[in-house]
Amino acid sequence: MTTSRPIRVHIAPAAIRANYRLAKSLASGARAWAVIKADAYGHGQWRAVEALREVADGFAVLECENAVALRQAGISQPILLLEGIFSADDVPAVIEHRLTTVVHCLEQVEWLRRAAGDGQPLSLCLKLNTGMNRLGFTADTLASALGILRQLPQVELTLMTHFAEADGERGIDWQLARFHELAGDWRGAVSLANSAAILRYPQTHGDWVRPGIMLYGASPFAEQSAADLGLRPAMTLASRLIGVQEIAAGERVGYGGTFTASRQMRIGIVACGYADGYPRQAPSGTPLAVGGCRTGTVGRVSMDMLACDITDIAAATIGSPVTLWGEGAGGTVAADEVAAAAGTIAYELFCAIAPRVPVEIGER
Ligand SMILES: *Cc1c(COP(=O)(O)O)cnc(C)c1O
């Protein structure tokens, strides 16, 4: 539903495509699963698929049903189930639709073995637990898994793992060492790198990389901006001023009166609140842009509105364009900056966009 209420989320397919191409150029020897889980990190699975249909080597999702829907929509590239199958009931779809599936536990091995013993081809990514300690085989279980899977007539195996701190100080060397220890003399395909590892650790690129957040134009690193990495924002959250208040020094703004004006101020009221997906925990001073000028929020974010300081933006008035994050008529603000101010990450901001926010496609 489009609305006269002015909030919009703009999705730029060209940015998603450019970011995918950047991932590919960084990991030039590898193929790349475009990670489109969580409705393409809030950008819309189908929008991301349309943006990448002609360029992606493969797509990675969570739900078997989603993978089948992609096949039914004519996607012929490999499709990866990132958490594998959730029960034996998923196996017929995996076989019928040639889905590549992560295998991270012996239960999954058993479900696949029973159904695939009769010569059906299977493409599997065997996940090793190298320190994330969520999913994957360890030294105790890997040999049994490999023993069973190698008995199956037509299995294509890739070894994979997932990095816990590729964006942080501890890096990936320790996990890479555990991976090589577990993999032994493995000569087959490997898939290791998420966005952070693609950008920072060429030695992890292997045969398939798995870019997620970078496709959407946010940085996986706290200390390095998306723009510095050459990424283009794919999502802009934009709105307009719907109110202006002139307040005297000593006046407070918003619920709880958490902000007190230290001077006479002009306050702009933006049609955007936590029910639109803007983070309620964003404190006073969280960056946004109004009429081409950057400023900060003041007071608490409410359900449908937030307030900002327009004292020094003389031209700002009702109807002035506001950019909450992204690149819009209101100005430019990186989602990562908003996330940092609010104590979260751009991943969460993107995924939290509420269904009530109308979506527009294309560059503005
Ligand atoms: C989500 C996910 C990715 C993508 O991670 P980003 O940090 O968004 O690049 C890669 N691999 C796996 C297994 C994932 O679940």
Side-chain angles (χ1 to χ4, degrees):
M1 179 180 58
T2 189
T3 61
S4 56
R5 183 168 180 261
I7 191 166
R8 295 288 181 271
V9 58
H10 297 269
I11 304 294
I16 298 177
R17 210 154 36 235
N19 294 331
Y20 182 86
R21 289 203 166 108
L22 178 65
K24 285 281 291 183
S25 72
L26 291 168
S28 59
R31 289 191 280 174
W33 299 107
V35 179
I36 56 166
K37 65 188 179 189
D39 206 22
Y41 294 45
H43 292 64
Q45 169 178 293
W46 296 106
R47 294 179 201 116
V49 165
E50 279 318 308
L52 296 173
R53 188 172 198 117
E54 307 295 328
V55 295
D57 300 319
F59 292 95
V61 297
L62 292 179
E63 304 86 359
C64 195
E65 296 77 6
N66 245 335
V68 171
L70 290 173
R71 280 280 179 262
Q72 285 165 347
I75 295 298
S76 55
Q77 293 98 318
I79 301 176
L80 175 64
L81 297 176
L82 281 164
E83 293 178 344
I85 55 175
F86 297 94
S87 81
D89 297 344
D90 288 335
V91 176
V94 164
I95 291 170
E96 181 185 346
H97 297 284
R98 294 165 290 106
L99 307 179
T100 303
T101 174
V102 165
V103 178
H104 62 73
C105 62
L106 286 168
E107 287 76 0
Q108 288 179 329
V109 171
E110 188 54 26
W111 298 331
L112 289 161
R113 185 191 63 75
R114 270 186 277 150
D118 51 352
Q120 301 286 355
L122 274 179
S123 177
L124 307 178
C125 280
L126 209 59
K127 186 163 189 171
L128 310 186
N129 175 9
T130 57
M132 177 72 101
N133 291 319
R134 296 189 309 193
L135 302 178
F137 294 99
T138 60
D140 291 339
T141 49
L142 179 61
S144 340
L146 278 173
I148 296 168
L149 292 174
R150 281 178 166 151
Q151 305 274 306
L152 298 180
Q154 283 205 66
V155 189
E156 182 188 82
L157 277 181
T158 299
L159 285 194
M160 75 176 276
T161 196
H162 193 51
F163 295 124
E165 301 181 48
D167 58 324
E169 234 169 70
R170 198 174 173 208
I172 52 95
D173 284 345
W174 62 284
Q175 276 187 275
L176 207 51
R178 289 186 189 183
F179 182 84
H180 289 310
E181 202 170 302
L182 283 169
D185 59 0
W186 177 258
R187 290 284 168 270
V190 302
S191 174
L192 312 169
N194 56 2
S195 297
I198 292 167
L199 290 158
R200 200 165 268 183
Y201 299 109
Q203 68 271 38
T204 66
H205 289 168
D207 300 276
W208 279 92
V209 293
R210 306 189 303 271
I213 193 67
M214 70 181 293
L215 299 181
Y216 309 104
S219 171
F221 308 116
E223 71 288 355
Q224 209 174 357
S225 75
D228 284 348
L229 295 166
L231 297 169
R232 286 172 52 188
M235 178 191 288
T236 296
L237 182 62
S239 191
R240 291 185 185 275
L241 295 186
I242 60 167
V244 174
Q245 300 292 335
E246 305 270 355
I247 63 171
E251 284 294 311
R252 304 203 234 182
V253 177
Y255 285 116
T258 61
F259 176 86
T260 305
S262 57
R263 55 170 178 161
Q264 191 179 335
M265 288 182 81
R266 281 179 85 225
I267 301 295
I269 305 301
V270 184
C272 175
Y274 62 77
D276 299 300
Y278 194 90
R280 184 178 174 278
Q281 69 273 23
S284 288
T286 298
L288 78 172
V290 180
C293 301
R294 287 171 60 103
T295 180
T297 61
V298 298
R300 276 202 193 133
V301 173
S302 38
M303 181 182 280
D304 311 312
M305 288 177 257
L306 57 81
C308 62
D309 180 3
I310 55 166
T311 312
D312 298 324
I313 313 177
T317 181
I318 289 180
S320 291
V322 177
T323 300
L324 285 315
W325 62 72
E327 287 175 358
T332 297
V333 181
D336 294 310
E337 296 178 82
V338 178
T344 183
I345 51 179
Y347 298 72
E348 193 184 25
L349 296 187
F350 294 159
C351 290
I353 292 290
R356 81 177 191 186
V357 180
V359 180
E360 288 180 3
I361 310 294
E363 311 281 332
R364 286 134 296 96

